[in-house]
Short mmCIF file of all heavy atoms in Angstrom, two decimals:
data_model
loop_
_atom_site.label_atom_id
_atom_site.label_comp_id
_atom_site.label_asym_id
_atom_site.label_seq_id
_atom_site.Cartn_x
_atom_site.Cartn_y
_atom_site.Cartn_z
N GLY A 19 -21.18 38.45 0.25
CA GLY A 19 -21.33 38.51 1.70
C GLY A 19 -21.60 39.92 2.21
O GLY A 19 -21.30 40.22 3.37
N TRP A 20 -22.13 40.77 1.36
CA TRP A 20 -22.41 42.17 1.74
C TRP A 20 -23.87 42.27 2.19
O TRP A 20 -24.78 41.99 1.42
CB TRP A 20 -22.17 43.07 0.53
CG TRP A 20 -22.54 44.51 0.74
CD1 TRP A 20 -23.74 45.09 0.46
CD2 TRP A 20 -21.72 45.55 1.28
NE1 TRP A 20 -23.72 46.42 0.79
CE2 TRP A 20 -22.49 46.73 1.30
CE3 TRP A 20 -20.40 45.60 1.77
CZ2 TRP A 20 -22.00 47.95 1.77
CZ3 TRP A 20 -19.91 46.81 2.24
CH2 TRP A 20 -20.70 47.96 2.23
N ARG A 21 -24.09 42.63 3.46
CA ARG A 21 -25.47 42.74 3.99
C ARG A 21 -26.29 41.50 3.57
O ARG A 21 -25.85 40.40 3.82
CB ARG A 21 -26.13 44.03 3.50
CG ARG A 21 -25.44 45.29 4.04
CD ARG A 21 -26.12 45.75 5.28
NE ARG A 21 -25.75 47.12 5.66
CZ ARG A 21 -25.97 47.61 6.87
NH1 ARG A 21 -26.49 46.87 7.81
NH2 ARG A 21 -25.62 48.84 7.16
N ASN A 22 -27.43 41.68 2.86
CA ASN A 22 -28.22 40.49 2.51
C ASN A 22 -27.88 39.93 1.11
O ASN A 22 -28.63 39.15 0.56
CB ASN A 22 -29.73 40.77 2.62
CG ASN A 22 -30.24 41.71 1.53
OD1 ASN A 22 -29.49 42.56 1.06
ND2 ASN A 22 -31.48 41.56 1.12
N TYR A 23 -26.72 40.35 0.56
CA TYR A 23 -26.28 39.81 -0.73
C TYR A 23 -25.28 38.68 -0.52
O TYR A 23 -24.18 38.92 0.00
CB TYR A 23 -25.63 40.90 -1.59
CG TYR A 23 -26.62 41.90 -2.13
CD1 TYR A 23 -26.99 43.01 -1.39
CD2 TYR A 23 -27.20 41.72 -3.38
CE1 TYR A 23 -27.91 43.93 -1.87
CE2 TYR A 23 -28.13 42.63 -3.88
CZ TYR A 23 -28.48 43.72 -3.12
OH TYR A 23 -29.39 44.61 -3.61
N GLY A 39 -38.29 47.49 -5.94
CA GLY A 39 -38.58 46.23 -5.26
C GLY A 39 -39.35 46.53 -3.98
O GLY A 39 -39.50 47.70 -3.61
N SER A 40 -39.80 45.48 -3.31
CA SER A 40 -40.56 45.69 -2.06
C SER A 40 -39.61 46.15 -0.95
O SER A 40 -38.39 46.20 -1.15
CB SER A 40 -41.22 44.39 -1.63
OG SER A 40 -42.00 43.88 -2.66
N ASN A 41 -40.17 46.38 0.22
CA ASN A 41 -39.35 46.77 1.38
C ASN A 41 -38.42 45.63 1.78
O ASN A 41 -38.75 44.46 1.59
CB ASN A 41 -40.25 47.11 2.57
CG ASN A 41 -41.04 48.40 2.34
OD1 ASN A 41 -42.26 48.41 2.48
ND2 ASN A 41 -40.39 49.45 1.97
N ALA A 42 -37.30 45.99 2.34
CA ALA A 42 -36.35 45.03 2.95
C ALA A 42 -35.83 43.97 1.99
O ALA A 42 -35.61 42.83 2.38
CB ALA A 42 -37.00 44.36 4.17
N GLN A 43 -35.61 44.34 0.72
CA GLN A 43 -35.11 43.37 -0.25
C GLN A 43 -33.63 43.58 -0.58
O GLN A 43 -32.97 42.67 -1.09
CB GLN A 43 -35.93 43.45 -1.55
CG GLN A 43 -37.41 43.18 -1.35
CD GLN A 43 -37.66 41.84 -0.69
OE1 GLN A 43 -37.12 40.82 -1.11
NE2 GLN A 43 -38.46 41.84 0.36
N GLY A 44 -33.11 44.81 -0.32
CA GLY A 44 -31.69 45.06 -0.61
C GLY A 44 -31.43 46.27 -1.49
O GLY A 44 -30.32 46.43 -2.00
N LYS A 45 -32.41 47.16 -1.65
CA LYS A 45 -32.21 48.34 -2.50
C LYS A 45 -31.19 49.29 -1.87
O LYS A 45 -30.21 49.70 -2.50
CB LYS A 45 -33.55 49.08 -2.72
CG LYS A 45 -34.63 48.22 -3.33
CD LYS A 45 -35.92 48.99 -3.56
CE LYS A 45 -36.55 49.51 -2.28
NZ LYS A 45 -37.03 48.43 -1.38
N THR A 46 -31.44 49.63 -0.60
CA THR A 46 -30.51 50.55 0.06
C THR A 46 -29.14 49.89 0.24
O THR A 46 -28.10 50.54 0.11
CB THR A 46 -31.09 51.02 1.41
OG1 THR A 46 -32.34 51.67 1.16
CG2 THR A 46 -30.16 52.01 2.10
N ASN A 47 -29.14 48.58 0.50
CA ASN A 47 -27.86 47.87 0.66
C ASN A 47 -26.99 48.00 -0.60
O ASN A 47 -25.76 48.10 -0.51
CB ASN A 47 -28.10 46.39 0.96
CG ASN A 47 -28.73 46.17 2.33
OD1 ASN A 47 -28.76 47.09 3.15
ND2 ASN A 47 -29.25 44.97 2.57
N LEU A 48 -27.66 48.01 -1.77
CA LEU A 48 -26.91 48.13 -3.02
C LEU A 48 -26.34 49.56 -3.16
O LEU A 48 -25.16 49.74 -3.51
CB LEU A 48 -27.84 47.79 -4.20
CG LEU A 48 -27.26 47.83 -5.60
CD1 LEU A 48 -26.07 46.87 -5.73
CD2 LEU A 48 -28.33 47.45 -6.65
N GLU A 50 -25.70 51.52 -0.74
CA GLU A 50 -24.69 51.64 0.32
C GLU A 50 -23.34 51.08 -0.16
O GLU A 50 -22.28 51.62 0.16
CB GLU A 50 -25.20 50.85 1.53
CG GLU A 50 -24.43 51.05 2.81
CD GLU A 50 -25.04 50.20 3.94
OE1 GLU A 50 -25.53 49.07 3.67
OE2 GLU A 50 -25.00 50.65 5.09
N ARG A 62 -24.80 54.55 6.79
CA ARG A 62 -25.81 54.16 7.78
C ARG A 62 -25.22 53.72 9.10
O ARG A 62 -25.89 53.74 10.11
CB ARG A 62 -26.68 53.03 7.22
CG ARG A 62 -27.50 53.47 6.04
CD ARG A 62 -28.67 52.57 5.84
NE ARG A 62 -28.28 51.29 5.28
CZ ARG A 62 -29.17 50.40 4.84
NH1 ARG A 62 -30.45 50.64 4.94
NH2 ARG A 62 -28.75 49.28 4.31
N ARG A 67 -18.46 46.00 10.71
CA ARG A 67 -18.89 44.61 10.92
C ARG A 67 -20.37 44.43 10.60
O ARG A 67 -20.80 43.34 10.24
CB ARG A 67 -18.58 44.14 12.34
CG ARG A 67 -19.27 44.93 13.41
CD ARG A 67 -19.07 44.33 14.80
NE ARG A 67 -19.78 45.13 15.79
CZ ARG A 67 -19.28 46.21 16.38
NH1 ARG A 67 -18.06 46.62 16.08
NH2 ARG A 67 -20.00 46.90 17.26
N GLU A 68 -21.16 45.52 10.71
CA GLU A 68 -22.59 45.41 10.41
C GLU A 68 -22.84 45.22 8.91
O GLU A 68 -23.93 44.83 8.50
CB GLU A 68 -23.35 46.65 10.89
CG GLU A 68 -23.40 46.74 12.40
CD GLU A 68 -24.13 47.98 12.89
OE1 GLU A 68 -24.80 48.66 12.09
OE2 GLU A 68 -24.00 48.28 14.09
N LEU A 69 -21.83 45.50 8.11
CA LEU A 69 -21.97 45.39 6.66
C LEU A 69 -21.76 43.96 6.18
O LEU A 69 -22.14 43.60 5.07
CB LEU A 69 -20.96 46.32 5.96
CG LEU A 69 -21.07 47.78 6.40
CD1 LEU A 69 -19.89 48.59 5.88
CD2 LEU A 69 -22.37 48.40 5.92
N VAL A 70 -21.13 43.18 7.03
CA VAL A 70 -20.85 41.78 6.64
C VAL A 70 -22.12 40.96 6.87
O VAL A 70 -22.76 41.06 7.93
CB VAL A 70 -19.69 41.23 7.51
CG1 VAL A 70 -19.41 39.78 7.14
CG2 VAL A 70 -18.45 42.09 7.35
N GLY A 71 -22.51 40.21 5.84
CA GLY A 71 -23.73 39.41 5.91
C GLY A 71 -23.75 38.51 7.13
O GLY A 71 -22.71 37.96 7.50
N PHE A 72 -24.93 38.37 7.73
CA PHE A 72 -25.04 37.46 8.87
C PHE A 72 -24.54 36.10 8.36
O PHE A 72 -24.81 35.72 7.23
CB PHE A 72 -26.51 37.30 9.31
CG PHE A 72 -27.22 38.62 9.55
CD1 PHE A 72 -28.57 38.75 9.23
CD2 PHE A 72 -26.56 39.72 10.10
CE1 PHE A 72 -29.25 39.95 9.45
CE2 PHE A 72 -27.22 40.92 10.32
CZ PHE A 72 -28.57 41.04 9.99
N ASP A 73 -23.86 35.36 9.17
CA ASP A 73 -23.36 34.02 8.83
C ASP A 73 -22.22 34.03 7.81
O ASP A 73 -21.89 32.98 7.26
CB ASP A 73 -24.48 33.10 8.26
CG ASP A 73 -25.73 33.13 9.11
OD1 ASP A 73 -25.56 33.22 10.34
OD2 ASP A 73 -26.84 33.08 8.55
N TYR A 74 -21.66 35.21 7.50
CA TYR A 74 -20.50 35.22 6.58
C TYR A 74 -19.26 35.70 7.31
O TYR A 74 -19.35 36.58 8.15
CB TYR A 74 -20.76 36.12 5.37
CG TYR A 74 -21.78 35.53 4.44
CD1 TYR A 74 -23.13 35.76 4.65
CD2 TYR A 74 -21.40 34.67 3.41
CE1 TYR A 74 -24.08 35.16 3.83
CE2 TYR A 74 -22.34 34.07 2.60
CZ TYR A 74 -23.68 34.33 2.81
OH TYR A 74 -24.61 33.73 2.03
N ASP A 325 -31.62 57.74 -2.47
CA ASP A 325 -32.20 56.60 -1.76
C ASP A 325 -33.58 56.94 -1.23
O ASP A 325 -33.70 57.67 -0.23
CB ASP A 325 -31.28 56.16 -0.61
CG ASP A 325 -31.79 54.89 0.05
OD1 ASP A 325 -32.49 54.10 -0.62
OD2 ASP A 325 -31.50 54.67 1.24
N ASP A 326 -34.58 56.45 -1.90
CA ASP A 326 -35.96 56.56 -1.39
C ASP A 326 -36.47 57.98 -1.22
O ASP A 326 -37.40 58.20 -0.48
CB ASP A 326 -36.00 55.90 0.01
CG ASP A 326 -36.96 54.73 0.03
OD1 ASP A 326 -37.70 54.58 -0.94
OD2 ASP A 326 -36.96 53.99 1.02
N SER A 351 -33.23 54.63 -5.81
CA SER A 351 -33.98 53.50 -5.25
C SER A 351 -35.38 53.98 -4.90
O SER A 351 -35.57 55.10 -4.46
CB SER A 351 -33.29 52.95 -4.01
OG SER A 351 -33.60 53.74 -2.90
N CYS A 352 -36.36 53.12 -5.16
CA CYS A 352 -37.73 53.46 -4.80
C CYS A 352 -38.51 52.17 -4.63
O CYS A 352 -38.11 51.13 -5.13
CB CYS A 352 -38.37 54.34 -5.87
SG CYS A 352 -38.38 53.62 -7.50
N CYS A 353 -39.63 52.27 -3.91
CA CYS A 353 -40.43 51.07 -3.70
C CYS A 353 -41.15 50.72 -5.00
O CYS A 353 -41.17 51.51 -5.92
CB CYS A 353 -41.37 51.25 -2.54
SG CYS A 353 -40.64 50.51 -1.07
N VAL A 369 -35.11 44.28 -7.32
CA VAL A 369 -34.38 43.61 -6.25
C VAL A 369 -35.33 42.77 -5.40
O VAL A 369 -36.38 43.24 -4.98
CB VAL A 369 -33.68 44.66 -5.34
CG1 VAL A 369 -32.86 43.96 -4.25
CG2 VAL A 369 -32.78 45.56 -6.15
P1 LIG B 410 -36.87 49.64 2.13
O1 LIG B 410 -37.72 49.79 0.92
O2 LIG B 410 -37.68 49.27 3.31
O3 LIG B 410 -35.96 50.78 2.37
P2 LIG B 410 -34.57 48.09 1.17
O4 LIG B 410 -34.80 47.21 0.00
O5 LIG B 410 -33.88 49.37 0.97
O6 LIG B 410 -35.99 48.31 1.89
P3 LIG B 410 -32.32 47.27 2.75
O7 LIG B 410 -32.10 48.37 3.71
O8 LIG B 410 -31.45 47.21 1.57
O9 LIG B 410 -33.85 47.22 2.30
O10 LIG B 410 -32.21 45.93 3.59
C1 LIG B 410 -32.56 44.65 3.04
C2 LIG B 410 -32.45 43.59 4.11
O11 LIG B 410 -31.10 43.38 4.48
C3 LIG B 410 -33.19 43.91 5.40
O12 LIG B 410 -34.07 42.86 5.71
C4 LIG B 410 -32.10 44.00 6.43
O13 LIG B 410 -32.51 43.57 7.69
C5 LIG B 410 -31.08 43.06 5.84
N1 LIG B 410 -29.74 43.24 6.39
C6 LIG B 410 -29.16 44.35 6.91
N2 LIG B 410 -27.91 44.12 7.32
C7 LIG B 410 -27.67 42.83 7.07
C8 LIG B 410 -26.53 41.98 7.28
N3 LIG B 410 -25.40 42.43 7.82
N4 LIG B 410 -26.65 40.69 6.89
C9 LIG B 410 -27.78 40.22 6.33
N5 LIG B 410 -28.87 40.97 6.12
C10 LIG B 410 -28.83 42.25 6.49
#
Side-chain angles (χ1 to χ4, degrees):
W20 174 268
R21 295 266 195 197
N22 70 330
Y23 288 87
S40 305
N41 291 127
Q43 301 304 311
K45 303 181 297 295
T46 301
N47 292 346
L48 181 58
E50 191 180 34
R62 295 201 285 189
R67 61 173 181 274
E68 291 179 12
L69 304 169
V70 179
F72 309 144
D73 312 324
Y74 289 87
D325 186 26
D326 241 350
S351 81
C352 57
C353 263
V369 182

